[in-house]
Amino acid sequence: MLRFRLLYLQIPAVPADKPTNKPAPSFKGKRGLRLMGLNITTDGVVKGFFGGNAYLAILALLFICVFLLKSGLGFVPGYRVELSEARVSGIELTNRVRYELTGYKALLARVNQAFIAEKRHLFSDEESAIYLYEEFEALIDDEFEEDIEQYVDLDDGAEKEAASVKLRADIATACSTISEKQLLLSLARRLPDLKKISPEARQQALTLAQEYALNDAETPDAVAAISTRISQEMGTFNTAIQRIKSAGKPLSQLEATLTRQTEETDRILKLNRQTSGSILALEEGLKKAHKRDEPSETITAIEDRLKKSRGSFIEIDTEALIQPVYQAIQNHDLIVDTLVSELAAAFDTLPSEFENKQVTATINEARQLNGELAVIIAKQKENINAWRHDKDVNLSNALTAFFFGSEWQTGSPWQNVYGLMPLFTGSLLVASVSLLFAVPLAIGAALYVNQFAHKREAALIKPGIEFIQAIPSVVLGLFGVLVLAGLLKEWSHSPLLSWIPGFPITERLNVLLAALLLAFMAAPTIFTLAEDALNNVPKAFTEASLAMGATKLQTAIKVVLPASISGIIAAIMLGFGRVVGETMVVLMVAGNKAKIPEFSEGLGVVGQPVHTMTSIIAQEYGEVTEGSLHWQALFMVGLVLFTISLVINSTCQRVLNRKTR
Amino acid sequence: MHDMSNELTTLPKATKKKKSSTVIEVDDIGFSYDHGKTETLKGISMTVPKNQVTALIGPSGCGKSTLLRCLNRMNDLIDTAKITRGAIRILGQDIHAADVDAIELRKQVGMVFQKYNPFPKSIYDNVAYGLRIQGVKKKSVLDEAVERSLKSAALWDEAKDRLKDSALGLSGGQQQRLCIARTIAVRPKVILMDEPCSALDPIATAKVEELMLELRRDFTIVIVTHSMQQASRISDNTAFFYLGELIEYGPTTQIFTNPSVKQTEDYISGRFG
Amino acid sequence: MTASENPFKAKRSWTQFRGKLGVGTFGAATYFILFCAVLIFGQIAYKGLPTFFKSEAPYVNTEFFTSNPEILRVWHDAEGNKFSMPDKDFDIWREKNPDAVILDPHALNYSAGGIAGPLVGTALLVFFCMIIALSIGISAAIYLSEYCGKGRIMSLIRLSILNLAGVPSIVFALFGWGIFCHAAPVIVDHVDERSLFAFSIGSSYLSFQGWGTSLLAGSCTLAIMVLPVIITACEESLRAVPGGFREASFALGSSQWQTIRKAVLPYALPGILTATVLGITRVAGETAPIMLTATSTDKTDMPMQALQNEGVWAFFTQSVQALPFHIYTLAKLPDDPLSKPMQNGATFAFLLLVMGFAFISIVLRNRVRKKLKW
């Protein structure tokens, strides 16, 4: 560097008038490194590097699309195979019978509940007396064994009389030392609802216990008498419940027969499929081995295994296997018809009102379930009679079964069912309820900050609300589980709030809880975007309106809001997208019950637990094996989520772009 | 005033009037945009007579628009703005008095802006807006008011067949006349115009000017303008502002032909500004 | 006219009242949102703070921040008194008091010790994720704002970036889980059964069998997820540099790269820094992606141990603990009062961490926006 400068200094100055013979300036670009006919310059390399990174974004999007599609779409043919196997083996048919049986079982459970509740209601003293007596009995066995023996050995007379009085008194004292709390604890297993032991029950139990001691530790007849009296008093109910129980037996038996039969068929079919798979693989391997001229031992080894596999392959006569199923199902119509008429008759014998309101409610629920069961049975009867094991299952059947299937059941030893509907409705329900809370709040806040708040106030509020956006969802989820769930349930039982649909809530984790937390997450998103949209409304509109003598509120509602409506709708949609895609909160607080919520309850549906598309992935990823049908099903769900988010996003981008133009 | 209508139509040039009552009275007003640190208006006093056009002229930043916006208290919307002294009386009422409602004031002191700003609604809805916010719901009343206002704004013939179309489909001049129609629909006492023609082409400008002379019959108009020619064409009185002070105020003919202050003369003859 | 006939008197009080009511309602909505935030934050802080401190010197519960989660042993003695003790202390105590009566002993998972492991895990995940995301993101942003115009391909790129930003994190998680955990290439001596396909190179194989649940897979997944945020924010800050700077630099004969390096990047740096902090806020708070790709519940040792014992590759392919996932695990614990201190403490620590970054990003952004008005 220094040398150059010195050299330069030594160059004598060129006289001004003398024409210079310096070469004309060249504007040619610097020559870069020539490589394979390309002129590579630093700038080119840098540009290429940066550009490559930019294209990575497109690539990522494409890659995600392709990967999800590849992993997910393999699901459809796979599911088709599974469905057709279920059909050939008769599992599908069995499932239909099971469906009926499930309906019946739900009904039976309700009736049982009502029965127990009624018994407790009518005979709580008697029942607790009996159980208390058993407690006392154990005590007597422990402490008074010798006394009793002595007493029994005594001859009749005054002495025995006196001893009996003393024994009675001793037992009474011993029994009274046991505290009520302790007794409640010991009875808790049998009578969990018991809050207090009535003095009568205690007295009765004591009498029975004394009886027991004086009779040389023989259970007194009075105990049996009480039990008999209870069952007699419960007579009508008892008969009805027995009738309901016996009415379901034939259906259970049918289901059991079908299960046994189809499970066996299924096992054989699966085994055969495996064998034929390995036969194919071995044949392929043998061909390759021949081609590569592998040593003869290898070839013989393969041939041996092939022979073995071929040997274990059974020619199955599916027709023969399915015949018992058809035979069993013949009686189905008769069985269910009897069931329906029996149930109706049994319910007719029950009174419509019980003394205990809860019992009445439970019985009414059971009656309603009975009505539903009749509908189910009528539909299934048709289905079952139309069922044919050899009807083909095609791809669109499999697709329909996935997208419109009303059941998502995995990890069962019987058959996995992948129906999107429960998850889809769950996601949709949670998202819409949460928007119901978030939208008014967020838009209201956006209007306030943009139109009414002072500048300084707005400068405090805006970061505050943006701050909320950063609260991690898992923290909110934890807050929901530990704090809000309990509070919500408690509030829902308060009589002041009983007018709210769905209250009181019975499930701790439910749609409403998830929706409240999600609303809190969505509100900042909607707020920020809506505030931007409001901000984009030209100030001239506001000024014109105010100059006409409109109040600020009138200006905001009649001019600013309509002018920014497309931006606000986009904000709401993006908020919706955020809520649908949220995972942790719903995973932790929505209850994770993969069942289509009961919309028949009207708005009360918000009190139910649901599963969503996002939470199913987070919950089940751990239990799937790579490449299995379940794995592919999860990717299908991911694909649906991805599509939803893309549609929402691109629509909103279009709306927002149009606005800014 | 009615006897002058004939004269006005034939004689667009401003003429001397008989004595007319004062509508606006500005009394030593001082105004600041920054809590009173610097004054943008430094003690302005003037009166605006009824049913005349009063033009405010002066170079940019001289405070003429600020004064205009004080008249219907649009400056209230700026948090840091403050009246530092003096008072403005409109129809004899101090507009900064405690019992004056700025919103009620603005209903009677309408304003037309530099850049035409119809709402993104239909023509009809634009004109009916003012009445609607005052609670008028009856369709016949609204219809009548819309027709009357559009006619007054000389827009009825052009717009009567497309009342339900978006106002943003109109040409610039039409949009500005629509804004005027919107303003007069609520029958204000005073109309403030803030350079209403600066965004318009000459033909549209001519139409708007013609309209202003028409409107003078029914309204008192205060106009801020950059164009001296415009001021001389349409106004009865002219006020010349410079650096927040009122330099000269008088009948337009006098200001333009025989200004008493040197600065006014310089400005009008184009030596500065 | 006299002042008594004030023509501008407020007339219809109903409109005024409605105006006030409306504004009041909107204001109430605004402050309700903020109130909820304060309530939640306050509740978590109130419950969590006691875990941070203890009653004797040095008052700060250092153990909570420096030790790993542990099992809490709980038992009763003969008199019915309840005892609880971390697992490792329990063994020592047991040796010292061999005769002590222990009734009804049970163990509570994760209810003792601290959050050191999860903290370090989160820090590592965020660190590597940001390295990947920033190196790709800044270059992409430079290309988008400096090199290319407004062609159709460019708008396509921008559109994909915007769309990518709206994809739910669980989809990224699923993607990362499928690609990085199960299909990414790795050099191994023995090809695993689950490998998609493998080439032999010399004595070992390049096998597409994935990195498993690992630090690397988690960082990559998070990086892809946060990339759109970084690109958009960096591009915004680059575009905010006035065009005049570039023109001036070009006019002096600089090449494009020189211009970018000398006349654009220095002025965009504060914006890029903001984007980084914003990205960290996003990444640190995410749970679903790391849950699928990086964390496992049976990991108990510190990540550094793998680096010391087994080398760099083992360090990157080990699974880690992470604070958000730890909280999720804690949330699933059975409801026991003895588990609460850990639950609340970890939650508050995590909230503070993320909120801290959020705070910095908001402050930085506001400062940059104010400054960027050239």
Side-chain angles (χ1 to χ4, degrees):
Chain A
M1 193 64 193
L2 198 64
R3 273 253 325 251
F4 277 116
R5 202 174 290 162
L6 287 174
L7 271 174
Y8 175 76
L9 286 173
Q10 282 164 5
I11 293 172
V14 182
D17 52 350
K18 206 172 166 189
T20 57
N21 39 10
K22 255 202 300 190
S26 155
F27 299 117
K28 253 203 288 193
K30 256 193 284 181
R31 276 278 298 272
L33 180 66
R34 275 202 174 271
L35 199 69
M36 296 169 72
L38 290 168
N39 187 8
I40 297 177
T41 59
T42 331
D43 252 37
V45 171
V46 168
K47 181 178 175 181
F49 173 71
F50 289 156
N53 280 313
Y55 284 100
L56 210 70
I58 280 201
L59 222 64
L61 197 67
L62 270 179
F63 206 47
I64 292 180
C65 285
V66 170
F67 184 73
L68 287 178
L69 274 174
K70 187 195 142 276
S71 307
L73 288 187
F75 170 79
V76 183
Y79 199 32
R80 181 187 154 221
V81 170
E82 187 139 328
L83 286 178
S84 67
E85 259 172 26
R87 180 165 288 177
V88 171
S89 65
I91 285 181
E92 192 186 30
L93 183 76
T94 313
N95 274 341
R96 289 179 186 171
V97 177
R98 277 187 175 194
Y99 196 55
E100 296 172 336
L101 196 63
T102 322
Y104 163 74
K105 278 182 178 162
L107 173 150
L108 185 62
R110 285 283 189 294
V111 177
N112 252 331
Q113 272 172 21
F115 184 73
I116 291 169
E118 174 75 358
K119 205 159 107 182
R120 294 242 167 90
H121 175 71
L122 288 179
F123 302 103
S124 83
D125 279 1
E126 283 82 348
E127 274 206 310
S128 55
I130 287 189
Y131 292 133
L132 261 186
Y133 153 71
E134 282 169 11
E135 291 294 316
F136 291 160
E137 190 191 288
L139 181 100
I140 291 167
D141 283 348
D142 275 359
E143 292 189 11
F144 294 93
E145 206 182 342
E146 284 173 24
D147 293 340
I148 292 173
E149 271 171 24
Q150 280 177 14
Y151 167 76
V152 172
D153 289 346
L154 286 175
D155 293 327
D156 288 358
E159 200 183 345
K160 187 162 190 176
E161 199 62 28
S164 91
V165 172
K166 186 176 176 292
L167 189 56
R168 273 173 197 272
D170 285 349
I171 289 174
T173 332
C175 290
S176 66
T177 53
I178 314 175
S179 73
E180 164 137 5
K181 200 171 176 193
Q182 215 170 335
L183 283 176
L184 276 175
L185 275 175
S186 346
L187 292 191
R189 202 165 43 83
R190 285 152 146 184
L191 298 170
D193 298 334
L194 198 65
K195 295 279 181 304
K196 208 173 147 252
I197 298 170
S198 72
E200 293 83 36
R202 198 163 175 158
Q203 188 53 48
Q204 199 176 6
L206 184 62
T207 320
L208 285 172
Q210 286 164 339
E211 198 91 341
Y212 167 78
L214 296 178
N215 283 346
D216 189 12
E218 292 277 332
T219 308
D221 298 334
V223 177
I226 292 171
S227 299
T228 324
R229 194 163 68 80
I230 292 178
S231 54
Q232 269 171 6
E233 292 271 324
M234 294 291 291
T236 4
F237 210 148
N238 207 3
T239 329
I241 204 168
Q242 291 310 331
R243 208 165 165 188
I244 291 173
K245 272 184 187 159
S246 59
K249 272 191 188 126
L251 191 63
S252 309
Q253 277 163 3
L254 174 64
E255 190 260 353
T257 319
L258 283 175
T259 306
R260 213 176 330 109
Q261 193 63 45
T262 51
E263 240 169 10
E264 180 57 21
T265 316
D266 189 49
R267 199 183 57 79
I268 296 173
L269 283 174
K270 284 227 164 80
L271 197 71
N272 245 13
R273 187 152 61 96
Q274 267 174 19
T275 320
S276 66
S278 59
I279 289 174
L280 277 179
L282 285 170
E283 277 171 349
E284 188 76 7
L286 197 62
K287 253 187 230 163
K288 270 190 187 163
H290 276 301
K291 226 187 240 170
R292 274 190 246 152
D293 284 335
E294 301 255 351
S296 59
E297 300 99 69
T298 325
I299 292 180
T300 28
I302 296 176
E303 274 171 345
D304 275 356
R305 281 176 64 190
L306 190 58
K307 218 177 267 169
K308 225 167 143 193
S309 292
R310 280 191 180 136
S312 64
F313 188 81
I314 320 159
E315 277 302 324
I316 314 171
D317 184 5
T318 45
E319 292 296 325
L321 279 173
I322 203 72
Q323 275 322 307
V325 173
Y326 277 113
Q327 248 160 29
I329 208 71
Q330 271 175 358
N331 298 327
H332 175 262
D333 278 10
L334 189 66
I335 291 171
V336 290
D337 285 344
T338 335
L339 176 66
V340 169
S341 59
E342 267 297 289
L343 286 179
F347 273 109
D348 280 346
T349 62
L350 286 174
S352 60
E353 288 269 337
F354 289 85
E355 202 179 311
N356 188 337
K357 272 205 184 110
Q358 210 198 326
V359 176
T360 318
T362 321
I363 284 292
N364 281 342
E365 263 178 59
R367 277 186 213 277
Q368 203 186 335
L369 284 177
N370 188 30
E372 282 167 24
L373 179 64
V375 177
I376 292 173
I377 284 178
K379 208 175 142 204
Q380 290 303 336
K381 237 162 81 177
E382 248 174 63
N383 267 340
I384 286 169
N385 288 334
W387 184 81
R388 281 277 160 274
H389 75 284
D390 44 8
K391 217 190 272 170
D392 195 30
V393 183
N394 54 29
L395 281 178
S396 75
N397 288 140
L399 262 180
T400 325
F402 175 72
F403 279 108
F404 301 102
S406 61
E407 216 182 337
W408 178 283
Q409 199 178 25
T410 56
S412 82
W414 175 246
Q415 188 203 7
N416 283 351
V417 189
Y418 309 101
L420 188 66
M421 263 306 144
L423 313 175
F424 189 74
T425 44
S427 282
L428 219 61
L429 183 65
V430 172
S432 10
V433 176
S434 79
L435 283 195
L436 225 57
F437 294 111
V439 168
L441 281 178
I443 304 290
L447 272 173
Y448 180 75
V449 168
N450 192 267
Q451 297 287 310
F452 308 114
H454 290 286
K455 255 190 186 162
R456 256 188 230 157
E457 196 185 357
L460 280 178
I461 294 174
K462 268 164 76 172
I465 292 185
E466 278 168 22
F467 214 51
I468 298 176
Q469 228 166 356
I471 297 182
S473 57
V474 69
V475 170
L476 275 183
L478 190 90
F479 175 78
V481 172
L482 295 187
V483 183
L484 198 58
L487 281 181
L488 196 67
K489 204 175 166 192
E490 204 177 292
W491 290 338
S492 79
H493 285 278
S494 134
L496 279 178
L497 296 174
S498 58
W499 52 271
I500 297 176
F503 276 25
I505 293 169
T506 46
E507 301 278 349
R508 215 174 97 84
L509 304 178
N510 53 51
V511 173
L512 185 64
L513 180 63
L516 283 175
L517 290 169
L518 286 179
F520 187 64
M521 297 185 75
T525 311
I526 301 177
F527 166 83
T528 313
L529 292 165
E531 212 264 339
D532 275 352
L534 291 175
N535 218 13
N536 281 339
V537 174
K539 286 282 162 286
F541 292 164
T542 323
E543 274 198 330
S545 171
L546 289 174
M548 306 274 306
T551 60
K552 277 191 169 185
L553 182 71
Q554 285 171 328
T555 309
I557 301 285
K558 295 199 170 161
V559 177
V560 180
L561 205 59
S564 60
I565 195 72
S566 58
I568 285 179
I569 288 174
I572 294 174
M573 276 173 73
L574 286 171
F576 181 80
R578 167 134 203 230
V579 171
V580 166
E582 175 48 47
T583 312
M584 292 319 285
V585 167
V586 280
L587 177 65
M588 290 164 88
V589 304
N592 295 350
K593 186 179 174 196
K595 186 170 174 278
I596 297 181
E598 305 273 348
F599 286 99
S600 56
E601 282 186 31
L603 283 175
V605 74
V606 298
Q608 296 175 1
V610 292
H611 224 318
T612 64
M613 292 187 284
T614 49
S615 55
I616 202 89
I617 298 176
Q619 202 193 21
E620 295 189 342
Y621 80 94
E623 45 191 72
V624 303
T625 42
E626 188 183 344
S628 68
L629 193 63
H630 191 180
W631 153 291
Q632 289 171 327
L634 291 187
F635 275 95
M636 270 303 265
V637 176
L639 194 62
V640 173
L641 270 172
F642 185 66
T643 318
I644 291 175
S645 77
L646 277 197
V647 168
I648 289 180
N649 259 292
S650 46
T651 319
C652 291
Q653 290 312 331
R654 208 168 295 162
V655 170
L656 292 176
N657 279 346
R658 200 180 52 201
K659 206 62 211 161
T660 47
R661 235 190 317 123
Chain B
M1 300 298 124
H2 301 288
D3 54 334
M4 294 186 66
S5 55
N6 274 337
E7 196 182 341
L8 267 172
T9 44
T10 53
L11 224 167
K13 183 87 177 64
T15 46
K16 263 207 178 130
K17 289 233 170 76
K18 280 171 236 162
K19 223 168 73 187
S20 56
S21 58
T22 303
V23 175
I24 304 172
E25 204 178 320
V26 181
D27 183 10
D28 188 32
I29 198 82
F31 179 85
S32 164
Y33 278 116
D34 48 6
H35 297 299
K37 273 180 223 145
T38 52
E39 276 195 327
T40 312
L41 296 180
K42 300 164 185 164
I44 310 282
S45 298
M46 63 187 281
T47 56
V48 176
K50 196 176 177 187
N51 289 37
Q52 293 192 12
V53 177
T54 303
L56 312 182
I57 61 170
S60 302
C62 67
K64 54 192 191 304
S65 282
T66 306
L67 177 65
L68 194 77
R69 295 169 80 92
C70 280
L71 296 180
N72 66 347
R73 287 180 55 183
M74 282 300 274
N75 285 330
D76 284 14
L77 302 172
I78 303 163
D79 288 337
T80 55
K82 190 182 158 196
I83 297 284
T84 50
R85 56 185 148 134
I88 297 173
R89 279 181 287 277
I90 296 180
L91 301 173
Q93 168 65 41
D94 179 0
I95 62 167
H96 291 99
D99 61 343
V100 166
D101 183 26
I103 286 159
E104 205 55 46
L105 171 72
R106 289 185 203 131
K107 279 177 190 161
Q108 298 178 45
V109 183
M111 189 163 189
V112 176
F113 294 85
Q114 182 171 6
K115 178 83 174 86
Y116 42 87
N117 55 359
F119 301 130
K121 299 169 183 265
S122 71
I123 295 173
Y124 183 93
D125 288 342
N126 260 289
V127 182
Y129 180 80
L131 290 167
R132 280 195 174 134
I133 58 168
Q134 292 187 21
V136 179
K137 289 208 176 79
K138 223 171 155 189
K139 192 157 186 309
S140 57
V141 179
L142 289 176
D143 283 348
E144 199 267 331
V146 168
E147 185 176 342
R148 175 170 45 74
S149 311
L150 284 174
K151 274 181 179 157
S152 308
L155 199 60
W156 177 248
D157 293 335
E158 292 151 85
K160 67 182 174 204
D161 300 326
R162 41 197 283 211
L163 288 177
K164 293 279 167 255
D165 292 1
S166 168
L168 303 180
L170 295 171
S171 73
Q174 287 172 328
Q175 286 194 29
Q176 188 63 301
R177 277 181 282 146
L178 178 66
C179 290
I180 295 174
R182 184 175 66 185
T183 308
I184 60 182
V186 291
R187 316 281 314 155
K189 303 277 188 310
V190 181
I191 300 177
L192 309 174
M193 295 191 173
D194 191 355
E195 301 187 31
C197 301
S198 67
L200 301 181
D201 60 68
I203 296 170
T205 302
K207 278 201 164 171
V208 173
E209 284 178 5
E210 207 175 295
L211 174 60
M212 274 187 258
L213 293 171
E214 258 327 290
L215 292 174
R216 182 168 60 175
R217 271 186 297 172
D218 302 319
F219 305 97
T220 305
I221 298 176
V222 182
I223 176 173
V224 164
T225 178
H226 246 113
S227 150
M228 251 85 56
Q229 286 82 357
Q230 187 174 52
S232 67
R233 277 197 299 270
I234 59 169
S235 65
D236 302 293
N237 305 297
T238 299
F240 172 61
F241 287 80
Y242 184 58
L243 295 179
E245 283 175 81
L246 178 62
I247 305 297
E248 190 171 356
Y249 179 46
T252 303
T253 36
Q254 182 209 319
I255 296 274
F256 277 87
T257 53
N258 189 16
S260 56
V261 184
K262 174 87 170 40
Q263 275 168 316
T264 318
E265 195 188 339
D266 285 352
Y267 180 70
I268 285 166
S269 55
R271 253 168 259 168
F272 81 95
Chain C
M1 267 183 228
T2 56
S4 59
E5 324 165 13
N6 174 5
F8 311 126
K9 218 167 165 171
K11 272 179 198 152
R12 286 164 307 111
S13 59
W14 172 234
T15 311
Q16 273 195 330
F17 172 71
R18 215 161 43 177
K20 277 190 186 136
L21 192 77
V23 176
T25 317
F26 294 145
T30 316
Y31 285 102
F32 179 73
I33 297 178
L34 291 173
F35 175 71
C36 285
V38 171
L39 214 63
I40 291 179
F41 197 86
Q43 201 271 344
I44 292 172
Y46 173 73
K47 290 264 181 75
L49 271 176
T51 313
F52 284 20
F53 303 102
K54 55 186 178 186
S55 50
E56 69 258 35
Y59 301 108
V60 177
N61 187 357
T62 42
E63 197 205 342
F64 179 66
F65 296 101
T66 53
S67 61
N68 254 331
E70 269 182 73
I71 295 169
L72 187 71
R73 297 261 172 204
V74 185
W75 71 94
H76 291 84
D77 69 358
E79 280 90 47
N81 298 321
K82 204 170 190 182
F83 288 90
S84 64
M85 203 175 268
D87 198 27
K88 60 173 189 231
D89 297 349
F90 179 74
D91 292 339
I92 303 166
W93 180 85
R94 194 85 183 93
E95 262 169 39
K96 275 187 196 160
N97 307 291
D99 308 326
V101 182
I102 293 180
L103 295 173
D104 183 28
H106 56 282
L108 295 171
N109 284 328
Y110 305 106
S111 299
I115 53 166
L119 261 180
V120 172
T122 294
L124 285 176
L125 279 170
V126 170
F127 179 72
F128 290 115
C129 151
M130 288 317 287
I131 286 189
I132 301 170
L134 280 179
S135 51
I136 299 177
I138 295 180
S139 334
I142 291 177
Y143 182 75
L144 286 178
S145 91
E146 304 298 320
Y147 283 99
C148 63
K150 282 192 170 173
R152 269 177 69 189
I153 295 178
M154 287 312 120
S155 58
L156 190 68
I157 290 187
R158 286 208 180 87
L159 200 69
S160 353
I161 291 173
L162 284 171
N163 279 329
L164 215 50
V167 173
S169 63
I170 189 76
V171 176
F172 282 110
L174 201 59
F175 169 74
W177 179 59
I179 290 281
F180 299 121
C181 295
H182 288 105
V186 61
I187 296 170
V188 286
D189 291 338
H190 302 286
V191 177
D192 196 280
E193 214 177 288
R194 65 197 170 123
S195 171
L196 296 180
F197 47 90
F199 308 104
S200 79
I201 19 170
S203 59
S204 29
Y205 294 90
L206 180 70
S207 165
F208 287 78
Q209 63 184 43
W211 303 325
T213 307
S214 62
L215 176 59
L216 189 57
S219 305
C220 289
T221 309
L222 287 177
I224 289 203
M225 197 192 79
V226 81
L227 208 51
V229 179
I230 302 243
I231 295 181
T232 318
C234 287
E235 204 198 333
E236 190 192 333
S237 67
L238 285 169
R239 281 186 186 279
V241 178
F245 288 22
R246 297 183 184 87
E247 279 163 18
S249 172
F250 281 132
L252 291 171
S254 313
S255 71
Q256 176 113 40
W257 172 229
Q258 284 167 326
T259 304
I260 293 169
R261 214 176 38 183
K262 295 276 161 67
V264 180
L265 272 184
Y267 304 100
L269 220 50
I272 291 174
L273 187 66
T274 313
T276 311
V277 182
L278 191 75
I280 293 178
T281 314
R282 267 289 176 85
V283 166
E286 272 300 340
T287 315
I290 55 164
M291 188 164 106
L292 264 71
T293 57
T295 58
S296 67
T297 38
D298 48 7
K299 176 84 182 173
T300 47
D301 51 348
M302 296 292 261
M304 300 309 164
Q305 278 168 349
L307 189 63
Q308 285 156 4
N309 302 339
E310 296 163 71
V312 179
W313 184 244
F315 172 71
F316 279 111
T317 51
Q318 66 177 331
S319 64
V320 289
Q321 293 170 291
L323 207 39
F325 182 65
H326 185 59
I327 290 173
Y328 174 62
T329 321
L330 288 174
K332 291 195 294 186
L333 290 182
D335 198 24
D336 192 302
L338 286 171
S339 302
K340 294 284 177 228
M342 280 299 127
Q343 273 179 343
N344 296 325
T347 311
F348 185 51
F350 183 48
L351 190 64
L352 269 189
L353 188 81
V354 178
M355 293 280 117
F357 278 114
F359 181 75
I360 298 173
S361 80
I362 289 176
V363 168
L364 271 179
R365 195 201 51 199
N366 285 354
R367 189 166 291 181
V368 167
R369 281 208 183 146
K370 237 176 242 170
K371 256 194 202 162
L372 274 187
K373 284 172 188 155
W374 303 96

